Structure formats: structure tokens, C-alpha cells
Amino acid sequence: MKKVSTFLIVCFVTTLMFAGNLASINLSVKGMTCGGCENKFKEKALNIKGIKSVDAVSAETGTATVTFDMDEINSKEVIEALAENTGYTVANNTNGKETNQVAGKPSSCCQKGATNPACKKGETKKKSCDKKD
């Protein structure tokens, strides 16, 4: 019994060591128009140091939920890095109230020469995916 208890304690401590200090943040993301934009947001977000997962992203509702390690990055830095790296306008969205909004340079996945299949299939809320100019 003592061996099992010791093993469980070691497993628990090891899990805590590797899990980090994780937190999730609900975001408002303005500028996404289609499934391609969602993919772009997720891909860019996962390349930011400290962001561990993108649990939900929706062009239709303009929202995303991101999990990050607070030992590596804070929520304000998450918002700033996402705006800079994705080009979308990103804000903390807590209880429907937007705070800490950071405007990215206007961007979309569906621009001239877009190769994302979602753009070609017309998965869009706006006409931006169908533009050829």
C-alpha cells in the first residue's frame, strides 16, 4: 500500500511540474471571415511561445478561447501577440464585455492569391473569400 501511495504522489507532483501554470482566456477576434481565417488564427496562435492550445475559434461569432502558460506569458501579452501575429483585432471578452483591445494590421486569409481551400469553397460570412482582385 505504501508503494502505491508513493507512486501516486510522484505521478501527481510530476504532472504539476510539467503542466505549468495554465489559464484560459475568452477572446473577441474581429476580422475573421471564414474557415480559412479560423485555421490561420489557430496556426499563428500555436506558434506563440506560452500558448498551449486554441480550444475554440469561430469566424461566425468572432470569438476564440486560448489556453496559455502564465509562467511564460500573461493575458495582456497573449492579446498583443495574437493581434500582431494574426493581423486581427483581439480583445479580452469576459462576460460579453471587451477589454484590453489591440488592433492588428488589417488582415484576412482571403486576399489576392489566397490558396486556402476554405476561401475557394466560399466558406465565408462576407464576400472577401470570393474576391479575385
Side-chain angles (χ1 to χ4, degrees):
M1 184 69 160
K2 187 174 181 180
K3 288 182 181 181
V4 172
S5 296
T6 304
F7 175 74
L8 292 174
I9 290 171
V10 169
C11 289
F12 179 73
V13 170
T14 303
T15 302
L16 288 178
M17 285 174 38
F18 289 107
N21 194 5
L22 300 181
S24 290
I25 185 170
N26 294 320
L27 302 170
S28 170
V29 184
K30 296 177 182 169
M32 294 188 299
T33 58
C34 67
C37 295
E38 295 170 353
N39 292 337
K40 172 189 170 183
F41 181 88
K42 187 172 185 174
E43 180 182 312
K44 298 278 186 176
L46 292 173
N47 285 320
I48 296 171
K49 184 179 180 191
I51 293 182
K52 300 304 179 189
S53 68
V54 178
D55 305 308
V57 58
S58 171
E60 185 175 335
T61 60
T63 58
T65 302
V66 174
T67 300
F68 62 98
D69 187 334
M70 294 188 302
D71 292 334
E72 296 181 48
I73 192 169
N74 64 46
S75 61
K76 183 178 178 188
E77 293 169 331
V78 166
I79 292 168
E80 290 169 351
L82 286 169
E84 181 180 328
N85 289 305
T86 66
Y88 302 121
T89 298
V90 182
N92 188 342
N93 186 3
T94 305
N95 298 325
K97 182 179 178 183
E98 292 182 9
T99 57
N100 299 325
Q101 181 172 302
V102 178
K105 293 180 181 175
S107 178
S108 173
C109 71
C110 306
Q111 296 175 352
K112 182 178 179 181
T115 58
N116 192 307
C119 295
K120 293 180 181 175
K121 290 180 184 173
E123 293 179 16
T124 179
K125 181 166 111 170
K126 298 178 183 174
K127 296 276 186 196
S128 62
C129 287
D130 300 325
K131 287 182 181 176
K132 303 281 188 212
D133 27 77

